[in-house]
Amino acid sequence: MVSPHQNGRTYRWRSSFWFVTFVVWLGVLTDLLVYSIIVPVIPFQLELLGYEHVSTLTGWLLFAYSCGLVLCTVFVAIYAENYKSRQLPLVVGNVILIGSQIMFMEAPTYWLMCFARALQGIGSTMVWVIGLALICDVTPPEFIGRQLGIAMSGFTLGILMGPPVGGALYKTFGFRAPFVVGITFAAVDLLGRLLIIEVHPTSTAAVHPSTSPLHVPSDAEKGVDGSPDQQNVAKNTLVTAPVRLTFIGVLLTLLKSSRAMTAGLIALVFGVVTAVQDTVISLHLNHVWDLDSAKVGIVMLAAVVPTLFSGPLTGWISDKYGTSWVTFLGILLGIPWCAVMIIDGPLALFITSYALQSLFVASLAAPVTVELAMLAHRIDGVGYAHVYSVFNFTFGLGSTVGPIIAGQMYDHIRRGWMAICLLVIGLLGVSAVLALVYTGDPPVVTWIARRFARRPVVDEMENV
């Protein structure tokens, strides 16, 4: 039976997967805007307040944000998979985000700034775990990659808008101005979250994976010739009782999956790479090219613009062709441009190399989240909130250690920026090897091996 409110004019769009995607996109954008809008101004504000070792203190502030995000992830995932409502924690997270910004804006001491950033990380956890899970709940499986890619493009746009807006506002209106803009965006985001109407026609447990386009038949579902055995698939489809696992059980299950571990490690590297560069890039630009906060923001704006459409594009590619090649190539193509960023040459060269490295690194977010959605479909007892808690935890862990590493390296190594770039190159190289072997079905290395295994047979047929 259709309830009365389902006949209203607003019901269709408020409950559609497109509106849910838009709200999550706005939430991701707001989260990254709030995170990045003060990145170019924190060092200058701390110097103005008389603090020394500014890069280290900036790193600890970013560390506090990531600590809140990481520590809250497990509890949010447990809640999300045991209670039906996704909307309530999304709203609570937004309220925490607004409150944390007000606290930071008015904080008279450094330790209170750190506490406010930790609260901000707690508020951000909701959109990264529950928001992405909600998209997967309401979106047809064949469009999940596209919708996740659209939502993740908010990550790029938030970083794109934050630094230049923050730098310009700080220079023109003072320290509080960037926070006022962040609070305004969060208020609009809160309205969107309140407007969502949750509809759960199916769930990852109620629909058997064998009926999903994301499903690859298991050995038990294959016939003698390796093709799907429709009788076995049909028999399995009748089993609708969901498998319930404790969080520890889910964690142990995911630890046994090489694909899950690889996706988590790539998310970890993604977090480290983003954090180490965000922490010190304003100081590097000021030291080498004597740029102030406003000009640093403009440089970051110019560099991040090309990444704006990488998420939707790689999400669509993941839907159509799988996650293996797009993940591997995204990592591999980012490495040489990171090496070019070491050169203290023309500013235009730095901006170009920074833009291209950011383009390829940012393209990883969509295929990694799609890879985790596939695992949620294929592993009994594992839900979307579980796998996205893995993404959030590992990305948050990378964002936690990244600022500390960057601050210490930049302060204590003679050529700190070069050391940071070499660290990024090494991490991307390890990730490329893992993606080559384990990401996707089949992984790139398996695909290549099969191609070469078939080639002699094709050559013999051509000779005949």
Side-chain angles (χ1 to χ4, degrees):
M1 179 179 293
V2 178
S3 61
H5 78 276
Q6 291 180 343
N7 293 320
R9 294 180 179 180
T10 64
Y11 173 81
R12 179 172 295 180
W13 65 264
R14 289 174 61 190
S15 61
S16 69
F17 67 85
W18 277 108
F19 181 66
V20 169
T21 302
F22 168 75
V23 172
V24 176
W25 170 83
L26 180 60
V28 172
L29 183 154
T30 301
D31 177 45
L32 269 296
L33 175 72
V34 169
Y35 172 85
S36 64
I37 198 169
I38 61 173
V39 168
V41 306
I42 285 177
F44 300 100
Q45 180 68 11
L46 291 175
E47 287 179 347
L48 186 64
L49 294 175
Y51 287 101
E52 298 179 353
H53 304 294
V54 169
S55 62
T56 300
L57 293 178
T58 302
W60 282 112
L61 278 173
L62 300 180
F63 172 84
Y65 167 87
S66 300
C67 272
L69 186 139
V70 168
L71 295 177
C72 189
T73 293
V74 173
F75 301 103
V76 171
I78 293 173
Y79 171 89
E81 289 301 327
N82 285 280
Y83 296 92
K84 184 177 180 180
S85 174
R86 307 271 201 214
Q87 185 182 37
L88 178 60
L90 284 174
V91 171
V92 170
N94 188 277
V95 172
I96 294 173
L97 187 65
I98 293 174
S100 68
Q101 292 180 81
I102 296 173
M103 181 182 294
F104 197 114
M105 180 173 63
E106 300 299 333
T109 58
Y110 178 75
W111 73 265
L112 193 56
M113 291 181 181
C114 290
F115 181 68
R117 287 291 275 181
L119 284 179
Q120 183 184 325
I122 292 172
S124 299
T125 302
M126 308 301 177
V127 73
W128 286 104
V129 175
I130 296 178
L132 296 181
L134 181 59
I135 289 179
C136 295
D137 284 341
V138 302
T139 302
E142 62 269 25
F143 302 131
I144 283 178
R146 182 189 66 189
Q147 301 306 116
L148 287 174
I150 293 171
M152 293 300 290
S153 69
F155 181 98
T156 300
L157 189 58
I159 293 178
L160 172 70
M161 294 171 57
V165 170
L169 288 173
Y170 176 77
K171 186 176 181 179
T172 307
F173 300 106
F175 182 63
R176 287 184 174 87
F179 294 94
V180 173
V181 171
I183 292 168
T184 303
F185 268 83
V188 176
D189 180 26
L190 176 61
L191 177 62
R193 299 186 192 195
L194 289 170
L195 286 174
I196 289 176
I197 296 176
E198 287 189 79
V199 178
H200 299 284
T202 60
S203 68
T204 54
V207 177
H208 193 275
S210 59
T211 65
S212 166
L214 297 176
H215 174 67
V216 176
S218 64
D219 293 338
E221 295 169 357
K222 292 180 179 178
V224 176
D225 61 350
S227 61
D229 187 320
Q230 297 302 323
Q231 193 172 26
N232 287 332
V233 171
K235 181 169 60 178
N236 288 336
T237 306
L238 295 175
V239 181
T240 58
V243 176
R244 305 289 296 187
L245 296 176
T246 63
F247 186 80
I248 299 299
V250 171
L251 183 61
L252 292 174
T253 300
L254 293 175
L255 286 173
K256 295 176 183 177
S257 169
S258 57
R259 289 178 67 182
M261 290 293 291
T262 299
L265 287 170
I266 292 174
L268 174 69
V269 170
F270 184 40
V272 171
V273 170
T274 302
V276 294
Q277 292 183 338
D278 284 348
T279 303
V280 299
I281 194 168
S282 58
L283 295 172
H284 178 65
L285 289 169
N286 177 260
H287 174 72
V288 178
W289 291 283
D290 195 29
L291 303 185
D292 60 18
S293 62
K295 291 179 180 177
V296 167
I298 293 172
V299 168
M300 296 177 76
L301 172 67
V304 180
V305 165
T307 70
L308 187 58
F309 302 103
S310 63
L313 177 61
T314 55
W316 175 80
I317 293 172
S318 299
D319 277 336
K320 195 170 182 64
Y321 301 105
T323 59
S324 54
W325 276 102
V326 68
T327 304
F328 173 67
L329 291 177
I331 299 171
L332 191 66
L333 294 175
I335 293 174
W337 299 110
C338 186
V340 176
M341 289 172 63
I342 298 173
I343 302 172
D344 293 338
L347 180 60
L349 177 64
F350 181 87
I351 295 173
T352 302
S353 57
Y354 181 38
L356 290 170
Q357 184 230 252
S358 300
L359 171 67
F360 293 117
V361 172
S363 71
L364 300 176
V368 169
T369 53
V370 173
E371 178 83 348
L372 290 169
M374 291 179 177
L375 293 173
H377 270 272
R378 296 187 62 176
I379 303 175
D380 290 337
V382 175
Y384 291 126
H386 290 142
V387 295
Y388 290 129
S389 70
V390 171
F391 178 85
N392 196 58
F393 182 86
T394 53
F395 176 80
L397 186 62
S399 301
T400 301
V401 301
I404 304 303
I405 294 171
Q408 295 298 320
M409 292 178 73
Y410 196 81
D411 275 346
H412 300 292
I413 298 177
R414 189 170 64 89
R415 298 199 63 185
W417 177 255
M418 183 179 73
I420 288 170
C421 289
L422 292 176
L423 172 66
V424 170
I425 290 170
L427 291 173
L428 291 176
V430 172
S431 300
V433 174
L434 292 173
L436 177 72
V437 178
Y438 295 116
T439 297
D441 190 9
V444 172
V445 67
T446 304
W447 185 90
I448 293 173
R450 289 176 181 174
R451 294 282 292 184
F452 277 101
R454 285 197 295 265
R455 182 168 294 177
V457 177
V458 174
D459 291 343
E460 287 181 11
M461 292 179 64
E462 290 176 350
N463 291 333
V464 172

